[in-house]
């Protein structure tokens, strides 16, 4: 029975590393589809500036529209309050039924903080977690804070394209450096057209 992947992230913005990761997970774990779930309000980023969810959601749609194995969900962006992964995996588990494999796919750096996630054991009762890493990251050695039982639900997926990062793309846009071939072309246009990631103008002293 084919599984379903939930690609969780802030996606600020979505980039080719995310798309390669989702496609690699689809192949490696025999997933029928991967559903991108942009975080509405990332629970660990309160107080940080995150681009409006309507932009992050639309960029995810633009980036994934040509892949019939990809979908984008509004589940987290439409929910008020912090986007807890437990609510997301519970929702999709009830949609697909109890028997099909369900995976929550995200970055290894995020996975290193798993011990702080709300109701981790509840999450793992509904879904396994796929941690996408750069090759050579040695995630297992860094996951010592998790119990043996929790580690059994953790799958590692090495993705060379994860050298690309959203923070680097935001920095590049802010200084006027090119982002071509780091994000899909429609996302590049969307960022330019909506003036995303521009440096905040500082008041000029006279
Ligand atoms: P983050 O802290 O911004 O990112 C940590 C690292 O993981 C970054 O290097 C990031 O690269 C990478 N990353 C994030 N999502 C990825 C993905 N789907 N595939 C590959 N790499 C990815 O993490 P985040 O994006 O805000 O959060 C990740 C997910 O964990 C979200 O769905 C969030 O809701 C969930 N989460 C839940 C809880 C909770 O329930 N309490 C707590 C923390 C996180 P990029 O910046 O290039 O993406």
């Amino acid at each position: 029975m084919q599984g379903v992947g939930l690609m969780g992230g802030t996606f600020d913005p979505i980039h080719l590393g995310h798309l390669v990761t989702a496609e690699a997970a689809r192949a490696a774990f025999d997933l029928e589809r991967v559903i991108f779930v942009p975080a509405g309000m990332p629970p660990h980023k309160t107080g940080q500036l995150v681009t409006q969810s309507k932009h992050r959601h639309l960029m995810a749609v633009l980036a994934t529209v040509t892949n019939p194995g990809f979908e984008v969900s509004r589940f987290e962006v439409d929910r008020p309050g912090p986007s807890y992964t437990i609510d997301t995996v519970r929702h999709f588990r009830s949609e697909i039924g109890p028997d099909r494999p369900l995976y929550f796919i995200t970055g290894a750096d995020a996975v290193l903080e798993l011990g702080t996630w709300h109701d981790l054991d509840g999450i793992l009762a509904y879904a396994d977690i796929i941690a996408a890493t750069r090759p050579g990251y040695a995630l297992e050695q860094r996951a010592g804070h998790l119990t043996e039982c929790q580690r059994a639900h953790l799958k590692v997926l090495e993705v060379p394209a994860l050298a690309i990062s959203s923070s680097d793309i935001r920095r590049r846009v802010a200084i006027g450096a090119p982002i071509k071939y780091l994000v899909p072309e429609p996302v590049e246009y969307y960022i330019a057209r909506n003036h995303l990631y521009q440096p905040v103008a500082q008041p000029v002293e006279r």
Side-chain angles (χ1 to χ4, degrees):
M1 189 181 281
Q2 280 191 304
V4 171
L6 303 175
M7 183 74 170
T10 304
F11 302 128
D12 193 14
I14 194 164
H15 54 67
L16 293 184
H18 296 132
L19 299 172
V20 172
T21 299
E23 192 58 25
R26 205 156 77 87
F29 293 87
D30 188 28
L31 305 180
E32 181 228 336
R33 62 201 155 112
V34 174
I35 306 171
F36 286 70
V37 190
M41 191 192 293
H44 55 308
K45 290 187 174 168
T46 43
Q48 277 183 46
L49 273 185
V50 175
T51 304
Q52 284 180 317
S53 58
K54 68 172 185 186
H55 290 308
R56 294 183 288 103
H57 172 263
L58 264 173
M59 288 190 281
V61 171
L62 289 170
T64 54
V65 73
T66 53
N67 187 331
F70 288 171
E71 290 174 19
V72 181
S73 166
R74 292 193 59 89
F75 180 74
E76 291 192 1
V77 300
D78 285 343
R79 280 170 71 91
S83 306
Y84 290 116
T85 299
I86 180 66
D87 300 324
T88 305
V89 293
R90 187 190 293 120
H91 167 79
F92 284 98
R93 171 54 75 198
S94 78
E95 284 226 320
I96 69 171
D99 299 328
R100 295 179 72 181
L102 181 65
Y103 298 93
F104 186 80
I105 310 161
T106 197
D109 290 339
V111 167
L112 282 184
E113 306 293 322
L114 267 183
T116 66
W117 289 26
H118 183 57
D119 195 3
L120 175 59
D121 289 325
I123 294 172
L124 299 178
Y126 292 120
D128 282 348
I129 294 191
I130 298 176
T133 73
R134 296 174 293 280
Y137 185 87
L139 178 77
E140 286 90 347
Q141 288 167 26
R142 303 179 199 209
H145 58 294
L146 301 177
T147 66
E148 205 171 308
C149 181
Q150 290 169 337
R151 280 204 298 268
H153 290 278
L154 196 57
K155 320 285 173 196
V156 177
L157 180 69
E158 291 198 342
V159 184
L162 273 185
I164 303 173
S165 80
S166 298
S167 55
D168 180 53
I169 290 166
R170 294 195 299 273
R171 185 191 59 80
R172 283 170 165 273
V173 174
I175 62 171
I179 58 168
K180 196 170 271 309
Y181 308 127
L182 297 176
V183 298
E185 216 163 52
V187 173
E188 183 189 350
Y189 285 127
Y190 188 94
I191 290 170
R193 193 182 169 137
N194 291 282
H195 312 292
L196 302 183
Y197 312 124
Q198 298 299 318
V200 179
Q202 298 297 322
V204 180
E205 280 189 39
R206 295 183 190 279

Short mmCIF file of all heavy atoms in Angstrom, two decimals, residues 108-137:
data_model
loop_
_atom_site.label_atom_id
_atom_site.label_comp_id
_atom_site.label_asym_id
_atom_site.label_seq_id
_atom_site.Cartn_x
_atom_site.Cartn_y
_atom_site.Cartn_z
N ALA A 108 16.60 18.30 8.52
CA ALA A 108 17.27 17.66 9.66
C ALA A 108 17.50 18.65 10.79
O ALA A 108 17.41 18.29 11.97
CB ALA A 108 18.59 17.06 9.21
N ASP A 109 17.77 19.92 10.46
CA ASP A 109 18.01 20.90 11.54
C ASP A 109 16.75 21.08 12.38
O ASP A 109 16.82 21.25 13.60
CB ASP A 109 18.44 22.26 10.97
CG ASP A 109 19.84 22.19 10.37
OD1 ASP A 109 20.59 21.27 10.74
OD2 ASP A 109 20.16 23.05 9.53
N ALA A 110 15.59 21.03 11.70
CA ALA A 110 14.33 21.12 12.43
C ALA A 110 14.14 19.86 13.28
O ALA A 110 13.69 19.93 14.43
CB ALA A 110 13.16 21.30 11.46
N VAL A 111 14.54 18.73 12.74
CA VAL A 111 14.37 17.45 13.44
C VAL A 111 15.23 17.40 14.71
O VAL A 111 14.86 16.78 15.71
CB VAL A 111 14.69 16.28 12.47
CG1 VAL A 111 14.84 14.97 13.21
CG2 VAL A 111 13.60 16.19 11.41
N LEU A 112 16.38 18.08 14.67
CA LEU A 112 17.25 18.10 15.86
C LEU A 112 16.54 18.70 17.06
O LEU A 112 16.89 18.43 18.21
CB LEU A 112 18.52 18.91 15.58
CG LEU A 112 19.58 18.20 14.75
CD1 LEU A 112 20.82 19.08 14.65
CD2 LEU A 112 19.94 16.85 15.36
N GLU A 113 15.53 19.54 16.79
CA GLU A 113 14.77 20.19 17.87
C GLU A 113 13.53 19.38 18.25
O GLU A 113 12.69 19.86 19.01
CB GLU A 113 14.31 21.59 17.42
CG GLU A 113 15.42 22.50 16.92
CD GLU A 113 16.39 22.87 18.03
OE1 GLU A 113 15.92 23.07 19.16
OE2 GLU A 113 17.60 22.92 17.77
N LEU A 114 13.40 18.17 17.69
CA LEU A 114 12.18 17.37 17.90
C LEU A 114 11.78 17.26 19.36
O LEU A 114 10.59 17.24 19.69
CB LEU A 114 12.37 15.96 17.35
CG LEU A 114 11.94 15.68 15.90
CD1 LEU A 114 12.16 14.20 15.59
CD2 LEU A 114 10.49 16.07 15.67
N GLY A 115 12.79 17.16 20.23
CA GLY A 115 12.52 17.00 21.66
C GLY A 115 11.66 18.12 22.23
O GLY A 115 11.02 17.95 23.26
N THR A 116 11.65 19.29 21.54
CA THR A 116 10.88 20.44 22.04
C THR A 116 9.50 20.53 21.37
O THR A 116 8.72 21.41 21.71
CB THR A 116 11.62 21.77 21.76
OG1 THR A 116 11.66 21.98 20.33
CG2 THR A 116 13.03 21.76 22.30
N TRP A 117 9.21 19.66 20.42
CA TRP A 117 7.93 19.76 19.70
C TRP A 117 6.77 19.35 20.59
O TRP A 117 6.91 18.45 21.43
CB TRP A 117 7.93 18.88 18.44
CG TRP A 117 8.81 19.39 17.35
CD1 TRP A 117 9.91 20.19 17.48
CD2 TRP A 117 8.68 19.11 15.95
NE1 TRP A 117 10.46 20.43 16.24
CE2 TRP A 117 9.73 19.79 15.30
CE3 TRP A 117 7.79 18.35 15.19
CZ2 TRP A 117 9.90 19.73 13.92
CZ3 TRP A 117 7.95 18.29 13.83
CH2 TRP A 117 9.00 18.98 13.19
N HIS A 118 5.65 20.00 20.36
CA HIS A 118 4.45 19.73 21.13
C HIS A 118 3.95 18.31 20.85
O HIS A 118 3.71 17.96 19.70
CB HIS A 118 3.40 20.77 20.73
CG HIS A 118 2.13 20.68 21.47
ND1 HIS A 118 2.08 20.76 22.85
CD2 HIS A 118 0.86 20.54 21.05
CE1 HIS A 118 0.84 20.65 23.23
NE2 HIS A 118 0.07 20.51 22.17
N ASP A 119 3.83 17.48 21.89
CA ASP A 119 3.29 16.12 21.82
C ASP A 119 4.00 15.25 20.77
O ASP A 119 3.37 14.68 19.87
CB ASP A 119 1.78 16.17 21.51
CG ASP A 119 1.11 14.82 21.79
OD1 ASP A 119 1.80 13.89 22.26
OD2 ASP A 119 -0.10 14.70 21.52
N LEU A 120 5.32 15.14 20.92
CA LEU A 120 6.11 14.36 19.95
C LEU A 120 5.62 12.91 19.86
O LEU A 120 5.48 12.36 18.76
CB LEU A 120 7.59 14.40 20.33
CG LEU A 120 8.50 13.53 19.46
CD1 LEU A 120 8.41 13.94 17.99
CD2 LEU A 120 9.94 13.60 19.95
N ASP A 121 5.33 12.28 21.01
CA ASP A 121 4.91 10.88 20.95
C ASP A 121 3.57 10.75 20.23
O ASP A 121 3.33 9.76 19.53
CB ASP A 121 4.86 10.27 22.35
CG ASP A 121 6.27 10.07 22.91
OD1 ASP A 121 7.18 9.77 22.11
OD2 ASP A 121 6.47 10.26 24.13
N GLY A 122 2.70 11.77 20.40
CA GLY A 122 1.45 11.77 19.65
C GLY A 122 1.71 11.84 18.14
O GLY A 122 1.10 11.11 17.36
N ILE A 123 2.63 12.70 17.74
CA ILE A 123 2.99 12.83 16.31
C ILE A 123 3.44 11.47 15.78
O ILE A 123 2.99 11.01 14.72
CB ILE A 123 4.13 13.87 16.12
CG1 ILE A 123 3.65 15.28 16.49
CG2 ILE A 123 4.66 13.84 14.69
CD1 ILE A 123 4.77 16.32 16.52
N LEU A 124 4.32 10.81 16.55
CA LEU A 124 4.91 9.56 16.07
C LEU A 124 3.91 8.41 16.07
O LEU A 124 4.13 7.39 15.41
CB LEU A 124 6.14 9.21 16.92
CG LEU A 124 7.27 10.26 16.87
CD1 LEU A 124 8.42 9.87 17.78
CD2 LEU A 124 7.77 10.46 15.44
N ALA A 125 2.80 8.59 16.80
CA ALA A 125 1.74 7.57 16.75
C ALA A 125 0.99 7.65 15.42
O ALA A 125 0.39 6.66 14.98
CB ALA A 125 0.79 7.77 17.92
N TYR A 126 1.01 8.82 14.80
CA TYR A 126 0.29 9.01 13.53
C TYR A 126 1.20 8.89 12.31
O TYR A 126 0.73 8.53 11.22
CB TYR A 126 -0.36 10.39 13.49
CG TYR A 126 -1.49 10.59 14.47
CD1 TYR A 126 -1.42 11.58 15.44
CD2 TYR A 126 -2.63 9.80 14.41
CE1 TYR A 126 -2.46 11.78 16.33
CE2 TYR A 126 -3.67 9.99 15.31
CZ TYR A 126 -3.58 10.98 16.26
OH TYR A 126 -4.61 11.17 17.14
N ALA A 127 2.47 9.25 12.46
CA ALA A 127 3.34 9.34 11.28
C ALA A 127 4.80 9.10 11.65
O ALA A 127 5.21 9.40 12.79
CB ALA A 127 3.22 10.74 10.66
N ASP A 128 5.57 8.58 10.71
CA ASP A 128 7.03 8.55 10.86
C ASP A 128 7.58 9.88 10.34
O ASP A 128 6.89 10.60 9.60
CB ASP A 128 7.63 7.39 10.06
CG ASP A 128 7.44 6.06 10.78
OD1 ASP A 128 7.06 6.07 11.97
OD2 ASP A 128 7.65 5.01 10.13
N ILE A 129 8.79 10.18 10.71
CA ILE A 129 9.39 11.45 10.29
C ILE A 129 10.57 11.17 9.36
O ILE A 129 11.43 10.33 9.67
CB ILE A 129 9.84 12.26 11.51
CG1 ILE A 129 8.59 12.66 12.30
CG2 ILE A 129 10.67 13.48 11.09
CD1 ILE A 129 8.78 13.66 13.37
N ILE A 130 10.58 11.83 8.22
CA ILE A 130 11.72 11.74 7.31
C ILE A 130 12.52 13.03 7.47
O ILE A 130 12.00 14.13 7.27
CB ILE A 130 11.26 11.59 5.84
CG1 ILE A 130 10.46 10.29 5.67
CG2 ILE A 130 12.46 11.64 4.90
CD1 ILE A 130 9.88 10.09 4.26
N ALA A 131 13.78 12.86 7.87
CA ALA A 131 14.66 14.02 8.07
C ALA A 131 15.55 14.15 6.84
O ALA A 131 16.36 13.27 6.56
CB ALA A 131 15.51 13.81 9.32
N ALA A 132 15.39 15.26 6.12
CA ALA A 132 16.21 15.48 4.92
C ALA A 132 17.51 16.15 5.33
O ALA A 132 17.51 17.19 5.99
CB ALA A 132 15.43 16.37 3.95
N THR A 133 18.62 15.52 4.97
CA THR A 133 19.93 16.05 5.34
C THR A 133 20.81 16.21 4.12
O THR A 133 20.60 15.56 3.09
CB THR A 133 20.71 15.11 6.29
OG1 THR A 133 21.17 13.98 5.53
CG2 THR A 133 19.87 14.65 7.44
N ARG A 134 21.81 17.08 4.29
CA ARG A 134 22.89 17.09 3.30
C ARG A 134 23.69 15.81 3.52
O ARG A 134 23.74 15.31 4.66
CB ARG A 134 23.82 18.29 3.54
CG ARG A 134 23.14 19.62 3.35
CD ARG A 134 24.08 20.75 3.73
NE ARG A 134 24.36 20.74 5.16
CZ ARG A 134 23.54 21.24 6.09
NH1 ARG A 134 22.40 21.80 5.74
NH2 ARG A 134 23.84 21.20 7.37
N PRO A 135 24.36 15.26 2.45
CA PRO A 135 25.18 14.06 2.66
C PRO A 135 26.25 14.34 3.72
O PRO A 135 26.81 15.43 3.78
CB PRO A 135 25.81 13.83 1.28
CG PRO A 135 24.87 14.48 0.32
CD PRO A 135 24.29 15.67 1.04
N GLY A 136 26.49 13.35 4.58
CA GLY A 136 27.55 13.47 5.58
C GLY A 136 27.14 14.20 6.84
O GLY A 136 27.96 14.53 7.68
N TYR A 137 25.87 14.46 7.03
CA TYR A 137 25.39 15.27 8.16
C TYR A 137 25.42 14.49 9.49
O TYR A 137 25.48 15.08 10.55
CB TYR A 137 23.96 15.72 7.83
CG TYR A 137 23.33 16.66 8.81
CD1 TYR A 137 23.50 18.03 8.69
CD2 TYR A 137 22.50 16.20 9.83
CE1 TYR A 137 22.88 18.91 9.56
CE2 TYR A 137 21.88 17.07 10.70
CZ TYR A 137 22.07 18.42 10.57
OH TYR A 137 21.44 19.28 11.43
#
